[in-house]
Amino acid sequence: MEKVLEILNSLKSGVDFASAEGIVTNKIIDSIDIATMIARIEDEFDIEITMEYMENKNFDSAQAIWEMVQDLQEA
């Protein structure tokens, strides 16, 4: 989870990503940030985020991202 927070904090400062909800749907981060975040998560955790996971709900909070990472690592 700490690595997910580090990645999010590197995208945009001044946001409490540990408790933030709706980071995609509320446009806290933009599409360029999202693309960067996905690439960094894939590299950091050695996973591939497939199209079935490309839904806002999987990226709307640090917890949701962490749960997606864990699912993909177990696959």
Side-chain angles (χ1 to χ4, degrees), residues 3-61:
K3 285 291 183 187
V4 169
L5 289 171
E6 285 177 27
I7 291 168
L8 289 170
N9 285 321
S10 73
L11 297 174
K12 185 170 222 145
S13 60
V15 177
D16 179 12
F17 285 107
S19 62
E21 296 286 330
I23 61 177
V24 174
T25 56
N26 293 332
K27 298 182 171 118
I28 295 171
I29 60 174
D30 62 25
S31 59
I32 293 171
D33 293 332
I34 294 166
T36 302
M37 172 186 63
I38 289 170
R40 292 199 49 209
I41 287 170
E42 288 180 328
D43 289 346
E44 181 67 39
F45 295 102
D46 194 28
I47 58 173
E48 180 181 351
I49 301 173
T50 58
M51 287 307 295
E52 71 182 276
Y53 286 93
M54 295 293 180
E55 299 180 35
N56 286 352
K57 68 177 186 173
N58 291 325
F59 299 97
D60 255 351
S61 69

